[in-house]
Amino acid sequence: MKKNEYILYLGNYLNEQIVKERNLPTNNVAGSNRIRRISEALSYYYSIIVVSPGVSMRLKQNTNPLILRSKWHHYKKLKIFFSKTISIPYLSVFYSFISYFFSILFLIKKTKTKIIIIYNFNPSYVLITGFLRCFYWKVKIINNIEDISVPKISDFNNSENRALQQYIFYFCMKIVASLSHAYIIPTKRFINYLPIKKRVLIITGCILIKKKVLNKPKEKLEVLFSGKIEFEHGIDVFIDALKLIEYSNYYDKININISGGGDKAKWLEHEISNFEKLKIHYHGFVSNTDYKKLLESSDVCVALQKDNGRHSQFKTPSKVYEYLGNSKIVIATDVGDLSKISEEIIKICKPLNPKSLFENLIEILNKKDDLNNFKEKIHCFSKAEYNLSKVGHDLYCFLNKIKERL
């Protein structure tokens, strides 16, 4: 092991504490979870510092203080550094563009870092990777790419797609990827959209697999839909499937929980108000603690990113691996590498339509007495494939090869 060797992991990691301190609008759950878990896996072999700007364009104005000083936080074995910024919306991002840059240079010098991992891409990372390749050529840069940006003119007609951001991120993605020495990606599908590299590591799931506790079957099947409330992520298909349950004889055998936010949150609230028999609870954004409680109490978790949607080739539902890592029965779609997982472990909803989803839910409901056996298989599979120690070893071997050959 090389615990005395440092790795800097760059990404806009946010925890609930810094969100509260800096009055940020969101804690960037998916990205922050991925950064934290990959860092935890690496911490088996290296000393890890997560370096975050800790900002958001939509930061809410703070009356006091104006200067948000840099801070160190700790999470288990991880050190987390939040760079200095100011508490003025929009200007905070431009200010941190410079403060973040100098914070990284300071930490490279202090820790004698030879490996830097960059989460995704943005204009700040274009500057950082360009500078490092010119003046710190011994430092190896690994681009951890979780989303692909490919702009389309039609995006300007759909608020879910954030057209201008897609164009900016597309060029940032190409530059940062080109300047990087290797990639970490969640699916082989991304390779076709990136500059060719000799070294690529695919990491799908990465989570601490806890000891499985078998529970007695509940009176009702608990179903969770969590994440972005957008049509791209299948909330419309989910609601239409719930309407079929509402009109069936199964409405009193299932409880539905929905958490998250998005462009279709108001639409969702209106749709839910029309249900009279099926119990549906929309929680909106929830804290990490409340989300863990929802997840723990769930039997079935649904992730419905559309396999023919705008981003079907460009994004992967990382929550699926979180669900599997918590021994939950998952109904998902054919995106990323999910279809490669055995049917004994995950249910792929094909075709993705309300009738097919309804049938999947009812099939699980009718086998409710056998759910613990199903969950036990999921637990064993996840522990073998996604556990932090296993992923940490894969990363360790991958990084060693990069240092040897480059």
Side-chain angles (χ1 to χ4, degrees), residues 13 140 159 222 253 287 309:
Y13 174 86
K140 305 307 178 188
S159 61
E222 298 288 338
K253 297 179 175 62
S287 67

Side-chain angles (χ1 to χ4, degrees), residues 315-334:
K315 295 180 184 290
T316 58
S318 58
K319 275 189 177 293
V320 168
Y321 301 104
E322 179 179 55
Y323 299 151
L324 292 174
N326 282 275
S327 304
K328 302 302 176 183
I329 298 168
V330 179
I331 301 176
T333 57
D334 184 13

Side-chain angles (χ1 to χ4, degrees), residues 246-262:
E246 169 90 349
Y247 301 131
S248 72
N249 295 324
Y250 298 100
Y251 67 87
D252 60 346
K253 297 179 175 62
I254 299 179
N255 279 336
I256 307 296
N257 284 293
I258 303 173
S259 71

Side-chain angles (χ1 to χ4, degrees), residues 13-31:
Y13 174 86
L14 303 175
N15 55 27
E16 291 185 338
Q17 184 180 348
I18 203 70
V19 166
K20 185 176 180 180
E21 289 175 2
R22 295 190 171 183
N23 209 9
L24 302 173
T26 177
N27 57 357
N28 183 26
V29 177

Side-chain angles (χ1 to χ4, degrees), residues 1 34 37-38 40-46 185 201-209 321 379-399:
M1 294 188 183
R34 186 66 166 181
R37 288 168 184 163
I38 294 288
E40 284 184 273
L42 284 163
S43 70
Y44 282 85
Y45 298 90
Y46 302 93
I185 55 177
L201 178 64
I202 296 173
I203 295 180
T204 51
C206 180
I207 187 171
L208 177 63
I209 309 297
Y321 301 104
H379 174 76
C380 293
F381 171 82
S382 299
K383 191 169 185 179
E385 296 293 328
Y386 308 141
N387 202 25
L388 292 181
S389 57
K390 188 266 183 187
V391 175
H393 184 262
D394 291 345
L395 283 163
Y396 176 71
C397 296
F398 178 68
L399 295 178

Side-chain angles (χ1 to χ4, degrees), residues 14-27 54-65 68 85-89 92:
L14 303 175
N15 55 27
E16 291 185 338
Q17 184 180 348
I18 203 70
V19 166
K20 185 176 180 180
E21 289 175 2
R22 295 190 171 183
N23 209 9
L24 302 173
T26 177
N27 57 357
V55 296
S56 170
M57 276 284 192
R58 296 176 290 121
L59 173 146
K60 299 172 185 176
Q61 178 71 56
N62 289 334
T63 55
N64 186 43
L68 300 172
T85 187
I86 56 176
S87 60
I88 301 176
S92 63

